[in-house]
């Protein structure tokens, strides 16, 4: 079987996610036959370095022998059992381990099937907790500009990426919006100095404080992506914002939901991003890296204080009666445990410091590129923002689809990138070697040059920029 054979069959019946299928009249699909470590191999034998961890999920490489063995053993023992009224060893052990690792005070684990459904759980639980506390008027949410929290209706409602949400507006519950603390909004001050990331966080927090002061009586929770707003183009901000937010949520009696679906499990340089602000949210939502990129699973961790508000005799009707068929799946839980074993044994968060340093070193020269507005990095996430005119900060017209041209130029060179608009980012699995980091960045730089040199508008008739 060749790439072409399988692509032809695919396009007859498979409708791909986040894709204008018409693109594939021009753009070849990439059918993957096998994975090994950081590499993916197509049906023609060409290899691609997975610089985006297969949509931010993979942690320890593809077809990892250790994770495979854990999965195989669990499959031979128990693949799945209903989690209502029943339990199993893997989910008990996973909950114990997550509670021990998460910010202090998060003592209860509620499981769902993917990131979006985890967000739905957190939103519902927060609103329901206030209702159980006889404050049924607290039904709204505050979310940040540029936020992304998933695609299901509740999660899309708090998302602020119009390309994904605008069409469905009639179905969505609009949140209150606070400005993003995105550090790239730094200003030059009258004395000629430039704001620090913390200065931007403090300045942008003023509006959040005002929203809380005005609306706390009707707000259940504030939801944020700690430190990195991923889908908006890896927009990064200072931990000070989270510290201020935690304090203000406490003062105003509003829950804080930390969506660490993308940033959890070491991506920002600490196991959880909230650690860098020294805070414990009321709800911590984890998914993507939870099973090291193997199986869909999410968990909403919360406090005894929230749990206790639901805990009562059945006929008080205070229970949280939410479920998904595959809640607490044993295979997913077992592979999550095997991933946590690797974290502990290989001291992964510390070991990544050297990878973080080499990534920064390799990326530094790109700052001088005539079309690079900013190079930014938090731990194992790095991004290069491209613009048409650097001095005037003029972006590329989205119809030019520069990101797509860079994607194709990288693919040709054996590198899997997936630019968001004109932001090229790197979020590699933690098995990447120093040489692979240098090769990844050098190859991306070549792909950027080729993608920017391509005739403008070569994709202009074909719909919006790939996300
Ligand atoms: C991916 C993502 C989600 C949604 O998770 P899915 O598993 O794709 O539903 C939510 N929030 C953030 C920050 C994400 O990166």
């Amino acid at each position: 079987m060749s790439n072409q054979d399988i692509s032809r069959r695919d396009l007859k019946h498979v409708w791909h996610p986040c894709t204008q299928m018409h693109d594939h009249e021009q753009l070849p699909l990439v059918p993957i036959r096998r994975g090994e470590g950081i590499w993916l191999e197509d049906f023609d034998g060409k290899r691609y370095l997975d610089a985006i961890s297969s949509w931010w999920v993979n942690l320890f490489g593809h077809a990892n022998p250790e994770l495979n063995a854990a999965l195989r053993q669990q499959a031979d023992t128990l693949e799945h059992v209903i989690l209502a009224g029943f339990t199993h060893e893997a989910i008990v052990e996973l909950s114990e381990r997550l509670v021990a690792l998460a910010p202090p005070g998060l003592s209860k684990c509620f499981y769902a099937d993917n990131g979006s459904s985890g967000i739905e759980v957190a939103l519902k639980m927060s609103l329901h907790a206030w209702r159980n506390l006889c404050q049924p008027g607290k039904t709204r949410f505050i979310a940040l500009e540029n936020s992304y929290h998933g695609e299901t209706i509740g999660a899309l409602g708090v998302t602020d990426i119009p390309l994904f949400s605008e069409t469905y507006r009639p179905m969505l519950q609009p949140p209150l919006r606070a400005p993003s603390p995105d550090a790239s909004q730094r200003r030059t001050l009258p004395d000629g100095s430039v704001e620090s990331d913390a200065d931007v966080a403090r300045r942008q927090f003023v509006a959040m404080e005002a929203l809380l002061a005005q609306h706390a009586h009707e707000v259940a929770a504030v939801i944020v992506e700690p430190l990195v707003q991923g889908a908006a183009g890896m927009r990064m901000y200072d931990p000070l914002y989270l510290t201020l937010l935690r304090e203000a949520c406490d003062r105003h009696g509003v829950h804080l939901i930390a969506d660490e679906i993308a940033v959890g499990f070491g991506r920002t340089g600490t196991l959880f991003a909230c650690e860098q602000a020294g805070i414990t949210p009321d709800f911590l939502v984890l998914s993507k890296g939870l099973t090291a990129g193997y199986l869909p699973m999410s968990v909403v961790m919360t406090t005894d204080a929230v749990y206790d508000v639901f805990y009562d005799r059945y006929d008080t009707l205070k229970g949280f009666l939410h479920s998904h068929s595959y809640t607490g799946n044993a295979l997913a839980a077992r592979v999550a445990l095997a991933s946590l074993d690797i974290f502990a044994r290989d001291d992964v968060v510390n070991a990544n410091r050297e990878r973080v340093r080499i990534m920064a070193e390799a990326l530094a020269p790109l700052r001088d590129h005539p079309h690079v507005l900013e190079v930014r990095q938090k731990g194992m996430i790095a991004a290069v923002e491209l613009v048409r005119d650097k001095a005037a900060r003029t972006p590329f017209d989205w119809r030019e689809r520069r990101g797509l041209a860079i994607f194709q130029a990288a693919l040709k060179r054996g590198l899997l990138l997936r630019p968001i608009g004109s932001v090229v980012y790197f979020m590699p699995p933690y098995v990447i070697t120093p040489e692979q980091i240098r090769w990844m960045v050098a190859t991306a730089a070549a792909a950027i040059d080729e993608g920017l040199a391509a005739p403008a508008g070569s994709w202009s008739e074909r719909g919006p920029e790939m996300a």
Side-chain angles (χ1 to χ4, degrees):
M1 216 175 343
S2 69
N3 280 1
Q4 216 187 349
D5 298 332
I6 193 146
S7 297
R8 202 179 307 114
R9 283 167 56 200
D10 174 290
L11 291 173
K12 276 198 183 120
H13 300 299
V14 183
W15 192 341
H16 289 262
C18 203
T19 299
Q20 170 48 268
M21 292 302 294
H22 181 277
D23 276 2
H24 287 303
E25 289 190 12
Q26 305 282 319
L27 184 70
L29 271 173
V30 190
I32 296 301
R33 176 168 58 191
R34 56 190 293 275
E36 185 182 355
I38 200 158
W39 298 100
L40 293 166
E41 187 185 303
D42 71 16
F43 279 72
D44 296 344
K46 187 173 168 62
R47 296 206 305 168
Y48 308 91
L49 186 141
D50 186 354
I52 60 159
S53 296
S54 282
W55 246 350
W56 322 352
V57 297
N58 190 284
L59 295 186
F60 299 116
H62 296 280
N64 180 298
E66 219 173 320
L67 301 179
N68 290 358
L71 198 52
R72 221 173 280 125
Q73 202 183 358
Q74 183 66 48
D76 286 338
T77 314
L78 172 72
E79 80 303 333
H80 181 73
V81 62
I82 176 175
L83 199 69
F86 291 75
T87 193
H88 56 88
E89 198 178 343
I91 207 71
V92 173
E93 195 182 333
L94 179 59
S95 306
E96 290 168 351
R97 299 267 295 271
L98 289 172
V99 167
L101 290 168
L106 295 169
S107 50
K108 295 287 191 268
C109 299
F110 191 99
Y111 292 90
D113 297 353
N114 55 61
S116 302
S117 61
I119 295 295
E120 303 287 339
V121 166
L123 298 173
K124 284 175 69 177
M125 239 182 212
S126 172
L127 177 147
H128 195 161
W130 291 116
R131 189 178 180 82
N132 283 353
L133 284 165
C134 300
Q135 297 196 56
K138 285 167 79 73
T139 58
R140 301 191 72 183
F141 296 93
I142 299 178
L144 295 178
E145 282 171 3
N146 300 331
S147 60
Y148 180 80
H149 298 293
E151 306 290 347
T152 55
I153 300 308
L156 193 61
V158 286
T159 288
D160 184 36
I161 313 269
L163 181 61
F164 300 155
S165 59
E166 192 50 34
T167 308
Y168 312 102
R169 189 194 281 270
M171 304 170 77
L172 304 177
Q173 202 66 35
L176 297 158
R177 285 270 171 229
S180 167
D182 172 8
S184 71
Q185 304 171 91
R186 61 186 73 85
R187 291 178 183 163
T188 304
L189 301 171
D191 68 358
S193 66
V194 177
E195 282 183 315
S196 68
D197 292 4
D199 292 337
V200 179
R202 208 175 286 109
R203 172 160 61 79
Q204 295 299 76
F205 190 74
V206 173
M208 173 64 89
E209 175 68 45
L211 269 182
L212 282 166
Q214 194 186 341
H215 294 281
H217 65 282
E218 54 171 343
V219 170
V222 177
I223 181 167
V224 296
E225 292 160 89
L227 302 188
V228 182
Q229 296 187 294
M234 304 299 159
R235 305 198 165 276
M236 301 176 181
Y237 63 91
D238 196 273
L240 175 66
Y241 191 87
L242 298 171
T243 312
L244 295 172
L245 183 58
R246 175 70 279 183
E247 187 277 324
C249 284
D250 284 342
R251 190 157 32 79
H252 290 289
V254 166
H255 290 141
L256 175 57
I257 302 172
D259 174 356
E260 292 218 22
I261 291 167
V263 296
F265 298 101
R267 293 290 186 195
T268 67
T270 45
L271 190 61
F272 300 111
C274 283
E275 291 171 30
Q276 294 182 42
I279 62 153
T280 298
D282 300 283
F283 302 93
L284 175 67
V285 189
L286 303 171
S287 183
K288 292 192 166 100
L290 175 59
T291 64
Y294 266 63
L295 287 161
M297 175 183 240
S298 60
V299 61
V300 180
M301 300 185 67
T302 191
T303 60
D304 281 343
V306 168
Y307 181 82
D308 289 345
V309 166
F310 291 84
Y311 194 87
D312 209 336
R313 287 192 344 266
Y314 186 84
D315 60 9
T316 62
L317 296 176
K318 286 183 178 174
F320 189 62
L321 306 185
H322 178 114
S323 64
H324 298 286
S325 312
Y326 281 94
T327 296
N329 179 260
L331 295 168
R334 182 56 68 192
V335 80
L337 280 167
S339 171
L340 292 180
D341 286 342
I342 298 177
F343 267 105
R345 187 198 58 205
D346 297 348
D347 194 10
V348 170
V349 171
N350 271 320
N352 276 349
R353 281 172 213 254
E354 182 63 1
R355 294 187 175 92
V356 171
R357 192 187 65 74
I358 294 168
M359 234 154 86
E361 191 180 271
L363 282 161
L366 271 169
R367 292 213 158 83
D368 300 326
H369 190 285
H371 290 288
V372 171
L373 181 69
E374 187 183 49
V375 175
R376 46 184 181 257
Q377 185 178 357
K378 286 260 186 228
M380 292 295 289
I381 307 175
V384 177
E385 183 162 355
L386 301 167
V387 286
R388 168 161 297 293
D389 185 328
K390 193 164 173 167
R393 304 174 75 95
T394 322
F396 284 104
D397 187 322
W398 62 269
R399 292 175 199 86
E400 293 180 23
R401 306 191 76 182
R402 293 291 167 185
L404 186 55
I406 294 164
F407 162 80
Q408 287 182 282
L411 210 59
K412 202 169 68 183
R413 292 168 167 81
L415 176 65
L416 168 49
L417 296 176
R418 196 180 157 89
I420 299 170
S422 304
V423 176
V424 174
Y425 72 86
F426 305 92
M427 202 193 281
Y430 307 155
V431 293
I432 194 167
T433 65
E435 300 95 90
Q436 287 168 343
I437 292 174
R438 293 190 190 100
W439 181 85
M440 169 181 81
V441 173
T443 306
I448 287 170
D449 285 335
E450 185 182 329
L452 298 189
S458 44
W459 282 88
S460 63
E461 299 307 303
R462 305 207 170 83
E465 178 59 90
M466 74 191 297

